[in-house]
Amino acid sequence: MAIIVDLDVQLAKRNMSVGEFAAAVGITPANIAVLKNGRAKAVRFTTLDAICRTLGCQPGDVLRWVPDDQDDASDEIDGDGEGDCERRWVAATARGMTKAEPSLGE
């Protein structure tokens, strides 16, 4: 299972910088990067609420699930058919990195 965070898409649609977004949501730009890069283990509902309120969107506009065996074409960087973000997330999960990964929300 891979949860993909489409935060960049929502920020681009609104011409909003990461710094502006972080300040509006009330979390650090570093935690925004953790979320965008797929390294977050969890997101608090209060944080998700603040994200959706700031962007004027639904949780499904920011988060989506992709089965393990399905490539994410929108995440492709190197053109090999597999997204870098998804590949890192799946590899970390396979290594059992559950407690060492940062969680989001303050």
Side-chain angles (χ1 to χ4, degrees), residues 54-78:
T54 299
L55 296 175
C57 68
Q58 294 294 314
D61 296 329
V62 177
L63 304 173
R64 63 187 165 93
W65 176 78
V66 177
D68 286 338
D69 60 344
Q70 180 179 336
D71 293 339
D72 179 24
S74 68
D75 223 8
E76 280 184 30
I77 294 174
D78 53 8

Side-chain angles (χ1 to χ4, degrees), residues 16 20-27 32 46-52 54-55:
M16 184 179 277
E20 293 170 325
F21 179 67
V25 171
I27 60 178
I32 298 296
T46 54
T47 303
L48 185 58
D49 175 62
I51 289 170
C52 291
T54 299
L55 296 175

Side-chain angles (χ1 to χ4, degrees), residues 12-48:
K13 285 181 181 178
R14 291 157 180 81
N15 293 321
M16 184 179 277
S17 72
V18 171
E20 293 170 325
F21 179 67
V25 171
I27 60 178
T28 66
N31 275 342
I32 298 296
V34 166
L35 183 60
K36 285 175 33 177
N37 294 328
R39 294 188 320 256
K41 182 64 182 163
V43 179
R44 293 182 180 170
F45 281 130
T46 54
T47 303
L48 185 58

